[in-house]
Amino acid sequence: MSDWKTQQMIKASGWPLAPELLLAPDADFNARLEGGLVPLHWACSEGKAGLVKHMLERGADVLDAADGEVSVAGRTPLYMAIHSGNFQTVMLVIDRLKALGAPPADEALKKRLASVFNKSHADAKNRLAQTLKDWDRIAKKS
């Protein structure tokens, strides 16, 4: 993505801090913000797929759980993405988790995903189901 397009995407995202924080060549997407979040948490919770992709491509840690009083399970990028209801954001996070060899979704997480996306287009539901099967298969090989 060109610098201009990236700048416009970040400005349009509603990112609450200075866009330059996300555009700098040395941007640290894992630096804690107020409340224990990192920029990736915000992008996932807001369902900003383009911004999530930008951050993941530049080293954002998809395994990073937010600090704070809320339970850790509810403060991971994946749970935040699911809460946003944005299918693309969820798939970006899951694809990165699979690539890192993270443990696959447990039954509770699979049910949560199914309940959030059960009214989605059939293609989305099928893609999600196949992705979860692939994640299980990859984990068994490891």
Side-chain angles (χ1 to χ4, degrees), residues 76-134:
T76 64
L78 180 54
Y79 275 87
M80 290 176 172
I82 293 168
H83 183 71
S84 79
N86 183 283
F87 184 76
Q88 286 180 301
T89 302
V90 169
M91 294 307 294
L92 285 165
V93 172
I94 289 174
D95 286 345
R96 181 54 57 101
L97 288 168
K98 286 178 8 187
L100 293 173
D106 60 17
E107 288 307 311
L109 180 55
K110 288 177 183 178
K111 286 180 183 177
R112 174 102 170 102
L113 285 162
S115 72
V116 170
F117 296 109
N118 70 349
K119 294 183 181 175
S120 295
H121 189 278
D123 289 344
K125 288 192 290 188
N126 291 339
R127 181 172 174 221
L128 179 60
Q130 186 60 52
T131 295
L132 293 174
K133 286 179 189 175
D134 290 345

Side-chain angles (χ1 to χ4, degrees), residues 27-72:
D28 183 1
F29 300 116
N30 302 310
R32 295 270 177 231
L33 304 172
E34 189 175 319
L37 300 176
V38 298
L40 181 63
H41 295 138
W42 179 85
C44 288
S45 69
E46 296 294 316
K48 305 294 185 179
L51 198 51
V52 168
K53 182 178 180 189
H54 172 77
M55 291 178 181
L56 291 175
E57 289 172 347
R58 286 157 184 82
D61 183 4
V62 75
L63 298 170
D64 189 353
D67 293 338
E69 296 176 17
V70 177
S71 69
V72 172

